[in-house]
Amino acid sequence: MEKKRMKAGRFWNRSIFFVVFILSSQHVNSQMQKESDSSEPGSWELFKYDMGSVFGGIGYSYSRPIHWKSEEWTTFGAVVGGTALLYVFDEQVSEFAMRQRGGVPDFIDYYGDRVGSPTYNYMLTGGVYLTGLLTKDEKLRRLGVLLLASASSAGLLQQVSKSIIGRARPEYGNGKDTFDPFNPNRSFHSFPSGHTILAFSNAYAIAKQFENPWVKTGIYLVGMVPGASRLWDGQHWLSDIAFGVAISIFTVESIDRYLDKRYRKKYNDKTKMVNWNASLGLGQIIIRGNF
């Protein structure tokens, strides 16, 4: 079993390198063909500017609720309502998911458990950014900044939320309704799912760089694997994961909007911002995504 997990680890390490290579190769050749410009800022100046963009994006994402209008608050209310609806079925879904664990392929299990962790997350995001910095490719630098800022912003938010809410994990065995706020024990750090937030933030940001809806969908599905793995491992409830996905989308969208003011180019200039609209009706919550 351990040998299989080691092979799976090598597979996903290569996969991370492959993702960085594919994203960078689209522009590296054209960058190398350009003549050097003595007035072009150096790598250190670009790095300082980009790190300012990372911290500025984090601050911008946290400040957005202050500026929300009725439409945004309606959408947020629909997300909360949808999460509450899933909460009703948390125990049934958790029991079903944990029964499926034995049939999960090793490489998928490894990806969900390890690659969705902060260590692998920053291997990917850091690799994308450093490639853009070394090639002085503004589009790739911007993507790296988006990945770093989104993961950091959403990651810090989920850490604070977990501690404050103190929801027990399914493995604790006391059911979905067990809460112990500010309990430092990780068994009470269930809501929301950190693995889901980090993995789906990356997937959502990367998918924005492509126009093909099938490519986008494939990236979304890969980004959801860590969340699913937390279900069959008994680490999170379905409502933890669903709310984590919502946090990822809100965070990436807000930071991407902020970066529009900081960079002239997008990796995919034709990518439209996703508009999430919600409507409330008698006995129903409808959320629409316009791509």
Side-chain angles (χ1 to χ4, degrees), residues 209-226:
Q209 319 310 313
F210 298 91
E211 296 180 59
N212 190 306
W214 294 105
V215 173
K216 287 179 176 288
T217 301
I219 295 173
Y220 293 151
L221 291 176
V222 172
M224 283 302 301
V225 171

Side-chain angles (χ1 to χ4, degrees), residues 155-167 169 179-186 188-192:
L156 178 60
L157 178 62
Q158 63 88 18
Q159 285 289 351
V160 174
S161 300
K162 281 181 176 182
S163 177
I164 293 174
I165 296 172
R167 189 183 191 189
R169 298 179 186 271
F179 294 86
D180 188 4
F182 300 103
N183 189 326
N185 191 317
R186 69 172 304 276
F188 292 89
H189 288 180
S190 184
F191 185 88

Side-chain angles (χ1 to χ4, degrees), residues 5-243:
R5 291 183 68 85
M6 290 176 64
K7 289 181 179 178
R10 288 194 293 270
F11 171 80
W12 286 112
N13 287 338
R14 296 189 187 107
S15 297
I16 289 176
F17 173 79
F18 180 72
V19 169
V20 175
F21 175 78
I22 290 296
L23 288 169
S24 61
S25 62
Q26 299 180 45
H27 295 281
V28 168
N29 290 334
S30 61
Q31 286 295 120
M32 292 179 65
Q33 293 172 0
K34 294 181 179 179
E35 296 182 358
S36 62
D37 182 355
S38 59
S39 64
E40 184 179 357
S43 297
W44 177 242
E45 286 72 21
L46 293 176
F47 176 77
K48 289 191 294 183
Y49 185 85
D50 293 337
M51 291 304 101
S53 298
V54 169
F55 288 106
I58 294 172
Y60 185 87
S61 67
Y62 289 152
S63 69
R64 283 305 83 199
I66 300 175
H67 304 281
W68 283 357
K69 298 181 181 178
S70 58
E71 183 177 344
E72 286 82 7
W73 282 112
T74 300
T75 300
F76 178 74
V79 169
V80 173
T83 303
L85 181 62
L86 294 177
Y87 180 90
V88 176
F89 304 99
D90 268 343
E91 291 184 353
Q92 294 91 325
V93 172
S94 180
E95 291 172 1
F96 173 80
M98 285 191 285
R99 289 197 299 267
Q100 313 309 312
R101 182 177 184 180
V104 177
D106 289 329
F107 78 99
I108 293 180
D109 187 46
Y110 185 94
Y111 171 78
D113 182 42
R114 302 290 179 85
V115 182
S117 67
T119 301
Y120 278 89
N121 168 78
Y122 285 105
M123 282 175 59
L124 171 63
T125 58
V128 171
Y129 173 69
L130 287 176
T131 302
L133 179 64
L134 294 175
T135 59
K136 295 188 177 180
D137 186 321
E138 182 177 336
K139 295 180 181 180
L140 195 54
R141 281 173 44 229
R142 176 193 167 116
L143 172 57
V145 168
L146 177 60
L147 290 168
L148 288 168
S150 298
S152 300
S153 174
L156 178 60
L157 178 62
Q158 63 88 18
Q159 285 289 351
V160 174
S161 300
K162 281 181 176 182
S163 177
I164 293 174
I165 296 172
R167 189 183 191 189
R169 298 179 186 271
E171 67 173 0
Y172 185 71
N174 278 20
K176 65 181 183 181
D177 301 320
T178 303
F179 294 86
D180 188 4
F182 300 103
N183 189 326
N185 191 317
R186 69 172 304 276
S187 295
F188 292 89
H189 288 180
S190 184
F191 185 88
S193 169
H195 274 62
T196 299
I197 287 175
L198 290 179
F200 198 75
S201 291
N202 286 341
Y204 191 76
I206 292 173
K208 288 171 72 67
Q209 319 310 313
F210 298 91
E211 296 180 59
N212 190 306
W214 294 105
V215 173
K216 287 179 176 288
T217 301
I219 295 173
Y220 293 151
L221 291 176
V222 172
M224 283 302 301
V225 171
S229 77
R230 307 305 276 173
L231 277 175
W232 66 62
D233 282 343
Q235 296 297 310
H236 288 289
W237 308 95
L238 179 60
S239 55
D240 302 337
I241 293 166
F243 201 74

